[in-house]
Amino acid sequence: MKNDLSALSNFAPTRRQLLGFGLVFAGAAAFNVVPGFELLASAQAAVPAAAQKIADHFSAVKSMSGEFVQFGPKGEQTGGKFFLERPGKIRFNYDGASNFRVISDGRSVAILNKRLNTSDLYPLSKTPLKLLLDDRIDLSGNRVKSVKEEDDLTTIQLSDKSVFGNARITMMFDPKTYDLRQWTITDAQGKDTTVMIFNTKEGVSFAPDTFAIDYTANRELNTKTR
């Protein structure tokens, strides 16, 4: 997959758009099924073998880095670099003057805006990123809402009310290489934020502080701004 990051503007994602990207929470909207998907009728329905194989393959990727392009609900786009390490760790460095960072250390997710000097903290266990970053992508129970198998794409849609309410995550994989191509977070209001990844490398090592969150600085900053 090839994308031209030079075509991106210096659009700075808002806090709401960042929440839509990886941190959507519970809401009152009804669940809408993406057209063309095969619904799994109940928790007892068998998950297609191809979908489970893809999920197991991606779960086996313990570390990864690459570039991303994010598309917001209104077509806004921005990009940057990401770093992933299982279980639970990920970092997104956004391009642009806003200097946004989204960091998960395996326990919490921090949204940092250095330009505005803000730092928001959320439990990883209550975000869709948890399903993406678990040691194993769990397709059991009632998490799988739909699976679509095509010649050039396998799409798996997951939802877990105990994790993030009425929001859902849709992941798209290459059926031949099992590589993750993109994911879409749909929030409780039905608004989509899509992230496409490319130029990825697997099995990479990171500096010890790559996924570090400064909890003391976060606490002090939020105490001052109250």
Side-chain angles (χ1 to χ4, degrees):
M1 183 179 300
K2 210 171 179 183
N3 291 290
D4 184 5
L5 275 181
S6 65
L8 296 176
S9 67
N10 284 328
F11 164 73
T14 65
R15 182 178 302 180
R16 177 181 177 84
Q17 287 153 352
L18 283 168
L19 292 177
F21 166 46
L23 304 169
V24 286
F25 294 94
F31 181 81
N32 296 311
V33 178
V34 176
F37 277 70
E38 173 191 353
L39 281 180
L40 301 187
S42 70
Q44 311 306 318
V47 175
Q52 186 62 62
K53 189 177 292 187
I54 286 174
D56 290 344
H57 174 84
F58 183 60
S59 299
V61 177
K62 297 306 179 184
S63 64
M64 174 191 293
S65 64
E67 298 175 76
F68 72 90
V69 177
Q70 175 183 322
F71 300 90
K74 296 181 180 179
E76 317 94 326
Q77 61 181 29
T78 187
K81 296 181 179 179
F82 77 93
F83 314 90
L84 180 155
E85 184 176 273
R86 295 185 194 279
K89 297 178 181 179
I90 200 164
R91 179 185 181 115
F92 298 93
N93 292 345
Y94 285 76
D95 294 335
S98 60
N99 205 10
F100 273 105
R101 300 288 184 267
V102 176
I103 303 171
S104 171
D105 64 358
R107 179 163 63 102
S108 304
V109 182
I111 297 178
L112 310 174
N113 183 333
K114 293 187 178 181
R115 181 173 61 85
L116 297 179
N117 201 29
T118 61
S119 176
D120 297 307
L121 205 62
Y122 304 92
L124 174 64
S125 62
K126 296 301 180 181
T127 78
L129 285 176
K130 179 184 183 300
L131 296 180
L132 195 68
L133 299 174
D134 274 348
D135 258 329
R136 181 174 182 273
I137 296 178
D138 189 359
L139 300 186
S140 65
N142 200 31
R143 289 184 177 88
V144 180
K145 297 304 177 184
S146 56
V147 174
K148 186 177 182 180
E149 297 182 64
E150 299 175 294
D151 291 340
D152 62 345
L153 202 66
T154 298
T155 304
I156 303 172
Q157 189 177 92
L158 301 177
S159 178
D160 189 337
K161 284 185 177 293
S162 68
V163 176
F164 47 97
N166 288 329
R168 60 191 184 274
I169 183 169
T170 304
M171 296 181 290
M172 300 181 181
F173 297 87
D174 185 312
K176 297 180 177 65
T177 65
Y178 300 160
D179 290 340
L180 177 65
R181 289 183 177 179
Q182 68 182 61
W183 66 85
T184 296
I185 300 292
T186 304
D187 68 17
Q189 286 71 46
K191 295 181 179 180
D192 293 337
T193 299
T194 296
V195 177
M196 301 171 61
I197 62 174
F198 56 100
N199 292 338
T200 58
K201 295 181 181 179
E202 298 179 5
V204 292
S205 299
F206 303 112
D209 62 349
T210 301
F211 307 103
I213 295 175
D214 190 334
Y215 288 92
T216 300
N218 175 271
R219 184 169 57 252
E220 292 176 351
L221 180 62
N222 284 287
T223 299
K224 291 178 182 177
T225 56
R226 282 177 185 169

